[in-house]
Amino acid sequence: MKDTTISARQAGMLCTITILANKIFLLPALIYDGVKSDGFFVMMFLFALELCVLGIFILLKKKFPNNTLNFILEKYLGKVIARIIYFFFMMFFLFKMMLTYSVCYVYLKQQVYQDEFALLALICIIPVVNHAVISGLRVFSRTIELYFYVIMTGVLICLAVGLGNWQGMPILFNSTPSEFFLTSFKHIFSFGDYLFLFLIIDKIHLEKGQVKHLVKYVALGIIMVLTLFIAFYSIYQITAFMHNNALSDIISVSLQFNAIGRLDVLAMLTIMFLCYFEMEIFQFSFSEAFCNVFHKLNRKYSIVVFDVIFLVVYFILVGRYENMILYTEGWLPYFSIFTNFLIPIIILFISLPKRKGVRYEKTF
């Protein structure tokens, strides 16, 4: 048991990574295009909804401290419904991986290579991510734990420099309610930050009083993202929609900083590490869902299937970075309504305690 479980602290770090996923690169510009600087409030609204999902996970973990999600779903909903839910999780994390890869690839192409390097990118990314998944949750969680504070330091330095470039408070409350909710809907696929916790619910070791460790790291991720949004909108104001790499762009006006040199190198390294770890979490989540849809196939099969599907879907159906963004704002939000909200609502009814005085084990 100890060889396969992770602590509340490690789970919190994974949550911080997924909270930052895709929200500190392109998302600020996309949201600005819809509601201008009110994108800050859109993020607050969507984070509030996501915290409800985190609360549902805590309730479920409280009621079923040691059971797998598959056991819980099959017990209450049956095997067919359980497999359908896992299939939706598979597709969700597959496209999350594609979005992360697309954004990271285009960023590095613009900042480093200035040319196409698709084959080199695949050679550098896929084997590393595959190895992390085959090594297991505990191993790559420890790796993330090792690099976590280095990555957070990089993000904090970028935010500090960005706040140092403050150009004044951005104009707020300049969007209509319809624009606000439409923009919120269009970008819900960039969320779903805590869904992977449900897939590994039996592998998270929560003792009494340790929920606060999980919440602490979640709060850290949310504060970082909101700080980035307000700094980004302050610096670029009406041209924010033109800047597609927020974390790097907020320090681009201070590329030379005395003897320190080019600060965009720090942002570049931070983004690269973040993308690697985000993709590891997403592919591992795909693998967990895959193994619960196809019980007779193990994790090695899931990696092979993922790689094949990823290559076929990305290079044949998606094709271009622009298409991936179009899908993210087009049909994927409808898909995310089911994965991000309807499935957690179903799980909420399962996680509620029984009324007839039935007690369940408390672990925290």
Side-chain angles (χ1 to χ4, degrees):
M1 184 70 175
K2 290 183 179 180
D3 293 334
T4 59
T5 59
I6 61 175
S7 65
R9 181 169 174 269
Q10 290 171 324
M13 291 179 177
L14 298 183
C15 286
T16 303
I17 297 295
T18 57
I19 289 170
L20 296 176
N22 303 317
K23 299 185 187 68
I24 62 174
F25 310 136
L26 178 63
L27 190 60
L30 293 178
I31 291 183
Y32 184 89
D33 198 33
V35 291
K36 302 299 185 288
S37 298
D38 288 347
F40 177 79
F41 298 116
V42 168
M43 295 300 293
M44 291 184 65
F45 172 68
L46 292 175
F47 274 133
L49 293 179
E50 287 282 284
L51 288 175
C52 295
V53 177
L54 180 63
I56 293 172
F57 166 77
I58 293 173
L59 283 175
L60 189 68
K61 181 67 177 177
K62 185 177 181 180
K63 187 174 182 180
F64 302 98
N66 300 311
N67 295 122
T68 65
L69 180 64
N70 184 64
F71 171 84
I72 298 168
L73 293 178
E74 288 188 357
K75 178 180 178 181
Y76 286 90
L77 303 176
K79 293 183 178 180
V80 174
I81 301 299
R83 292 194 178 188
I84 291 174
I85 290 176
Y86 271 112
F87 178 79
F88 274 93
F89 278 141
M90 281 175 54
M91 294 300 100
F92 177 79
F93 287 108
L94 172 66
F95 282 101
K96 288 284 279 189
M97 174 82 166
M98 288 184 180
L99 178 60
T100 302
Y101 175 84
S102 299
V103 173
C104 185
Y105 174 78
V106 171
Y107 171 76
L108 292 177
K109 189 176 93 169
Q110 294 173 348
Q111 300 294 323
V112 182
Y113 291 92
Q114 305 294 323
D115 200 357
E116 294 291 339
F117 67 108
L119 181 60
L120 178 61
L122 291 174
I123 294 174
C124 292
I125 291 175
I126 289 183
V128 175
V129 176
N130 286 349
H131 180 267
V133 174
I134 200 69
S135 298
L137 175 66
R138 187 175 177 87
V139 173
F140 80 73
S141 294
R142 283 183 168 180
T143 304
I144 291 176
E145 186 178 16
L146 179 64
Y147 286 93
F148 181 79
Y149 293 107
V150 175
I151 295 173
M152 292 303 104
T153 299
V155 175
L156 288 173
I157 292 175
C158 292
L159 291 177
V161 174
L163 291 174
N165 296 325
W166 184 267
Q167 300 297 319
M169 193 67 183
I171 300 174
L172 301 175
F173 306 107
N174 51 14
S175 63
T176 65
S178 61
E179 290 174 336
F180 179 89
F181 289 109
L182 178 61
T183 302
S184 299
F185 170 75
K186 286 173 63 176
H187 296 288
I188 60 174
F189 179 72
S190 296
F191 286 78
D193 301 330
Y194 317 117
L195 292 180
F196 79 98
L197 292 175
F198 292 97
L199 296 174
I200 60 173
I201 186 171
D202 59 309
K203 299 179 177 66
I204 301 175
H205 183 61
L206 286 177
E207 295 181 352
K208 185 176 180 180
Q210 288 190 337
V211 172
K212 63 183 180 182
H213 297 307
L214 183 63
V215 174
K216 177 179 66 175
Y217 286 102
V218 166
L220 173 64
I222 292 174
I223 292 172
M224 282 183 164
V225 172
L226 294 178
T227 303
L228 174 84
F229 266 72
I230 199 68
F232 179 76
Y233 293 152
S234 167
I235 295 170
Y236 292 105
Q237 303 282 339
I238 61 174
T239 65
F241 70 95
M242 301 171 58
H243 301 270
N244 295 331
N245 303 298
L247 186 66
S248 177
D249 288 337
I250 62 174
I251 63 174
S252 63
V253 292
S254 299
L255 290 180
Q256 298 294 333
F257 189 76
N258 296 331
I260 296 180
R262 293 180 60 88
L263 292 178
D264 58 341
V265 175
L266 176 63
M268 187 185 307
L269 292 173
T270 302
I271 289 172
M272 289 174 63
F273 277 110
L274 264 177
C275 287
Y276 263 117
F277 292 140
E278 289 164 8
M279 287 187 281
E280 288 177 5
I281 295 171
F282 294 151
Q283 186 174 342
F284 183 83
S285 300
F286 174 93
S287 177
E288 281 290 301
F290 178 91
C291 292
N292 282 284
V293 173
F294 306 100
H295 294 296
K296 294 183 179 181
L297 301 180
N298 60 26
R299 197 172 303 283
K300 293 181 180 179
Y301 285 99
S302 74
I303 292 174
V304 174
V305 170
F306 178 88
D307 290 346
V308 172
I309 295 177
F310 178 85
L311 294 174
V312 170
V313 174
Y314 185 81
F315 288 104
I316 296 180
L317 299 181
V318 176
R320 296 187 305 164
Y321 162 79
E322 292 80 6
N323 291 339
M324 188 67 237
I325 303 305
L326 183 64
Y327 298 154
T328 300
E329 296 183 324
W331 61 270
L332 282 174
Y334 295 94
F335 179 79
S336 300
I337 286 291
F338 185 77
T339 55
N340 294 19
F341 301 113
L342 293 183
I343 290 178
I345 288 174
I346 294 171
I347 294 175
L348 172 62
F349 287 103
I350 295 174
S351 62
L352 292 175
K354 295 181 179 180
R355 293 184 175 182
K356 295 182 179 181
V358 177
R359 297 183 178 180
Y360 47 86
E361 182 182 354
K362 294 183 179 181
T363 59
F364 52 89

